[in-house]
């Protein structure tokens, strides 16, 4: 049973460790999440969540409103979107369907807000495994784009294409 719970300061050591995990570094090599500061903040445009499997922390999910996010990472985007970051931090739990369940729950949270029209993700352009993962949920490639030092492929899942319960 996967459960998403709010991340907080007590998760600092765990998130730092996951930041160093090879699978996380390969998918997110250039981001500094500033955990020491961000875990204490609760802006209304963001959710930072720890995924737990039967009480064991296994991964991380962040859901943001990209039009309201302070760093303007996504640039100028329309209102009523969400963007998701997701990863499994524990290498022994990769490839077991947990990421799919985490994504199903994250998408349900996004689309529970009636105004949300679509969800964005931005895996590295070279991360074909992630591309296939997102496409199984109905995400469609939108554009290739640079975010800082990262060459990414932006995917979009429109509400009309979302099928609850489907995906990886």
């Amino acid at each position: 049973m996967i459960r998403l719970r709010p991340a907080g300061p007590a998760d600092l050591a765990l998130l730092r460790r996951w930041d160093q995990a090879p699978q996380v570094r390969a998918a997110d090599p250039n981001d500094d999440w500033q955990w020491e500061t961000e875990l204490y903040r609760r802006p209304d445009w963001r959710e930072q969540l720890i995924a737990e499997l039967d009480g064991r922390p296994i991964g991380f999910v962040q859901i943001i409103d990209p039009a309201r996010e302070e760093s303007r990472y996504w640039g100028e985007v329309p209102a009523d979107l969400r963007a998701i970051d997701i990863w499994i931090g524990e290498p022994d739990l990769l490839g077991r369907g947990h990421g799919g369940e985490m994504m199903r729950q994250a998408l349900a949270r996004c689309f529970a807000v009636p105004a949300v029209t679509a969800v964005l993700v931005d895996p590295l352009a070279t991360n074909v495994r992630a591309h296939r993962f997102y496409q199984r949920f109905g995400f469609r490639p939108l554009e290739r784009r640079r975010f800082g030092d990262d060459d990414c492929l932006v995917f979009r899942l429109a509400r009309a294409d979302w099928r609850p319960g489907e995906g990886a």
Side-chain angles (χ1 to χ4, degrees):
M1 178 80 162
I2 300 280
R3 178 178 81 92
L4 300 180
R5 63 152 174 91
D11 298 305
L12 178 60
L14 174 69
L15 289 163
R16 280 184 180 158
R17 180 171 59 82
W18 286 348
D19 273 349
Q20 300 310 308
Q23 75 279 5
V24 174
R25 291 189 58 77
D28 191 21
N30 298 305
D31 281 343
D32 176 0
W33 286 82
Q34 301 176 6
W35 299 120
E36 295 81 1
T37 304
E38 293 303 315
L39 289 172
Y40 287 92
R41 298 182 62 229
R42 296 261 186 257
D44 64 356
W45 49 262
R46 178 185 76 196
E47 286 186 278
Q48 291 184 322
L49 306 161
I50 299 292
E52 292 182 337
L53 173 64
D54 298 324
R56 175 187 176 194
I58 65 163
F60 176 78
V61 176
Q62 176 172 261
I63 301 170
I64 67 163
D65 178 337
R68 297 177 56 225
E69 189 267 336
E70 295 162 353
S71 77
R72 308 304 301 153
Y73 174 85
W74 285 92
E76 290 302 315
V77 295
D80 302 326
L81 297 177
R82 293 296 179 269
I84 295 176
D85 289 293
I86 182 172
W87 69 79
I88 301 281
E90 298 299 332
D92 64 316
L93 295 175
L94 293 169
R96 296 185 180 188
H98 303 311
E101 179 57 26
M102 291 165 58
M103 181 56 85
R104 277 188 285 282
Q105 290 186 33
L107 289 170
R109 285 173 104 100
C110 292
F111 289 123
V113 177
V116 171
T117 59
V119 175
L120 303 172
V121 293
D122 64 334
L124 295 174
T126 55
N127 192 345
V128 240
R129 188 171 177 199
H131 302 172
R132 286 192 303 265
F133 174 80
Y134 293 126
Q135 287 172 321
R136 286 193 297 267
F137 285 92
F139 281 88
R140 295 187 178 144
L142 184 62
E143 66 177 328
R144 192 163 178 164
R145 186 167 163 196
R146 287 201 77 78
F147 292 96
D149 293 331
D150 295 329
D151 180 22
C152 297
L153 188 56
V154 175
F155 286 81
R156 182 179 188 274
L157 174 63
R159 178 183 287 277
D161 296 329
W162 176 53
R163 303 289 175 257
E166 287 188 12

